[in-house]
Amino acid sequence: MNRRELLKLGGILAVSAGLPALTNAAPTPMAGGIFYTKGKPGRWAGREATHVPILSTTQTQNGIVLNVVNNSHPMEAYQHYIVKHVILDADFNFGAEKLFNPSVDKQASSSFNLGNYKGVVHVLSVCNLHDTWLTAIQI
Ligand SMILES: [Fe+2]
């Protein structure tokens, strides 16, 4: 992420901090149909473990880094792979994304510097076969 993208993300996240966020437990008719969560896997039930991204944070001198990884999800060339990770603010405004090249990337792993942001970040993980999965983290 370049400096311009970071500043944009920081601005977006700062503006929306404190607004209600969608979590895995939040009831919505879209979960399990249009997108999927750990609690609402819909037609992809049983595939939660590899498609719901695992989130962690690391404090650095430049702020908080959000780490996103899909454990054990195949990266089998273009047959089955994680296409990208996307981070969104509490209002689901785009923040940043990481695209994967399955012929090079052996694991879907990304990191996003959030600066000094405090609040909710939504994270999407997009599989070419099993659609879009959502999770969130409170920073
Ligand atoms: Fe998949």
Side-chain angles (χ1 to χ4, degrees):
M1 181 181 307
N2 65 36
R3 179 176 167 77
R4 184 174 166 195
E5 291 170 331
L6 175 61
L7 291 173
K8 179 182 174 188
L9 174 64
I12 290 169
L13 294 176
V15 167
S16 62
L19 296 175
L22 181 65
T23 66
N24 287 337
T28 169
M30 293 186 291
I34 294 176
F35 65 88
Y36 305 92
T37 68
K38 185 175 183 179
K40 298 277 189 176
R43 66 183 178 129
W44 302 123
R47 296 186 181 272
E48 300 91 327
T50 57
H51 290 85
V52 176
I54 296 171
L55 311 179
S56 64
T57 58
T58 305
Q59 181 68 54
T60 71
Q61 290 182 340
N62 297 322
I64 293 183
V65 173
L66 173 61
N67 305 297
V68 182
V69 64
N70 287 84
N71 271 353
S72 304
H73 188 280
M75 295 296 274
E76 299 170 347
Y78 288 95
Q79 295 174 355
H80 185 198
Y81 72 105
I82 297 296
V83 176
K84 63 181 173 178
H85 289 156
V86 181
I87 61 171
L88 310 164
D89 69 12
D91 287 331
F92 303 102
N93 294 305
F94 175 81
E97 68 183 357
K98 166 76 184 282
L99 295 167
F100 298 104
N101 178 345
S103 64
V104 175
D105 299 319
K106 301 306 175 199
Q107 183 179 44
S109 177
S110 61
S111 295
F112 303 92
N113 191 327
L114 303 178
N116 294 320
Y117 172 74
K118 300 284 185 203
V120 172
V121 177
H122 293 101
V123 179
L124 300 175
S125 177
V126 181
C127 172
N128 72 317
L129 294 181
H130 305 111
D131 304 316
T132 300
W133 294 74
L134 170 70
T135 191
I137 185 169
Q138 177 75 39
I139 302 295

